[in-house]
Amino acid sequence: MVEAKHKAFWAIKEINLDLERAKEKRVTQLYELVELTLEAYDNSLVYKEKTKRWHDARLKSPKEFNPNDKVLVYNSRFKFSPGKLKSRWTGPYIVKKAYPTGYLEFYGNGNTFKFNGHILKVYIDDINAIALPEMTPLR
């Protein structure tokens, strides 16, 4: 019996149940937890800013069309494969009016159409009109 009390006293002495020190240690741990939380919040803001800069740098500028430009329209009605060599672009059509919201009014084949500018691309009549870079021969 005396031996059990001695072991219990020894365990309490080892644990050191000093309440003031335990309280200080717990408060210190809470402050460290708050600091870690604030640091994680700051790091997430830095990550979001870097991601936004990366995303914004890769955004494409909107397509600009002017009246009397020739355009091709993407035909999205092909649900199944139309064939390897069949083009999904129809046209050319002539732009009648370009609205600031991004859609265009154009005409072709005696009809007038309105489409979003995202499914259009510029049609080039003369391939020689494109400026190509000088090519150096391979040796």
Side-chain angles (χ1 to χ4, degrees):
M1 181 85 158
V2 173
E3 194 174 315
K5 286 183 182 178
H6 177 68
K7 287 184 179 182
F9 178 71
W10 179 81
I12 290 172
K13 188 177 174 184
E14 284 294 314
I15 295 173
N16 193 5
L17 289 178
D18 186 11
L19 294 179
E20 285 299 316
R21 283 184 61 192
K23 183 174 119 180
E24 289 174 8
K25 186 175 181 181
R26 181 67 177 156
V27 168
T28 307
Q29 288 175 343
L30 288 173
Y31 281 135
E32 289 174 358
L33 184 64
V34 169
E35 286 179 17
L36 285 173
T37 305
L38 291 174
E39 186 178 339
Y41 180 75
D42 291 341
N43 287 341
S44 70
L45 288 178
V46 169
Y47 171 75
K48 286 179 184 178
E49 289 172 3
K50 283 184 180 179
T51 306
K52 183 177 180 353
R53 266 185 278 147
W54 181 85
H55 178 266
D56 290 346
R58 282 156 182 75
L59 283 177
K60 292 182 180 179
S61 59
K63 298 176 189 176
E64 292 186 20
F65 297 102
N66 300 316
N68 297 326
D69 282 350
K70 290 187 177 180
V71 294
L72 296 174
V73 178
Y74 183 74
N75 188 354
S76 61
R77 293 190 183 258
F78 286 128
K79 298 293 182 191
F80 302 105
S81 176
K84 286 185 178 179
L85 301 177
K86 186 164 182 173
S87 175
R88 291 180 177 246
W89 296 92
T90 59
Y93 300 103
I94 299 173
V95 175
K96 190 174 183 181
K97 185 174 181 181
Y99 295 94
T101 54
Y103 73 94
L104 302 175
E105 188 174 333
F106 54 91
Y107 57 92
N109 301 334
N111 297 325
T112 302
F113 306 98
K114 287 184 182 177
F115 275 107
N116 191 341
H118 293 288
I119 62 170
L120 301 173
K121 70 178 180 180
V122 177
Y123 175 76
I124 301 171
D125 280 335
D126 188 13
I127 193 70
N128 296 329
I130 301 173
L132 297 175
E134 293 264 340
M135 301 293 284
T136 58
L138 295 174
R139 294 179 190 187

